Amino acid sequence: MQFKGEYKDVLETREAMAREKMRHAVLCAFCHVVQTTGLKPMAVLGLAASAIGAIYKDVATAHICNDDCPCGWEPQTDPDIEALQRAIAMEAKQYTDLRWLKVAGKA
Ligand SMILES: [Zn+2]
C-alpha cells in the first residue's frame, strides 16, 4: 500500500513539474507574440487556444491513424475537448475569483 502512495507522489510531482514547464513555455510565447505583433492580450490568448486545438487534432489523428504509439491513448474528440475547455475555465476562473477577493478586501 505504501508503494502505491509513493507512486502517486511521484506522478503528482511529475505532473506539477510538467504543469510549470508548460506554463512557462506558453507564457514566454504569449509575451513574445504580444510584444512583436502589438495584438491585444485576448487576441493572443485566442491564438494560443487555437494552437492547442491544432496540436490536439494532429496528435489525435496520429493516434487514430497509427497504433504504433505505446502510450495506449485512444482519442475521443468530444470528451477530450470538453476536458481541455474545463481545464482552461478552471484556471481562468481561479484568477477571476482572486480578483474578486482583492476587490472585496478593499471594500
Ligand atoms: Zn501515444
Side-chain angles (χ1 to χ4, degrees):
M1 279 307 195
Q2 187 167 356
F3 176 75
K4 271 189 175 175
E6 288 172 14
Y7 184 66
K8 190 180 167 205
D9 289 347
V10 168
L11 285 180
E12 285 175 359
T13 302
R14 193 180 296 174
E15 187 174 319
M17 287 170 60
R19 179 187 306 270
E20 191 48 37
K21 266 188 187 175
M22 286 301 294
R23 201 188 80 79
H24 182 74
V26 174
L27 181 61
C28 285
F30 169 81
C31 291
H32 177 74
V33 172
V34 166
Q35 288 168 357
T36 57
T37 64
L39 290 171
K40 291 192 170 153
M42 195 55 203
V44 178
L45 288 170
L47 296 174
S50 294
I52 295 295
I55 292 169
Y56 172 85
K57 184 183 69 182
D58 291 347
V59 177
T61 301
H63 279 76
I64 290 166
C65 297
N66 183 352
D67 52 6
D68 286 351
C69 184
C71 79
W73 180 43
E74 295 175 14
Q76 295 180 309
T77 306
D78 288 342
D80 291 345
I81 290 171
E82 284 170 19
L84 293 172
Q85 290 172 329
R86 271 196 312 275
I88 289 172
M90 204 168 75
E91 289 296 324
K93 285 179 179 174
Q94 275 180 5
Y95 175 70
T96 305
D97 290 347
L98 287 176
R99 284 188 65 187
W100 278 108
L101 282 175
K102 201 173 173 183
V103 170
K106 287 180 181 172

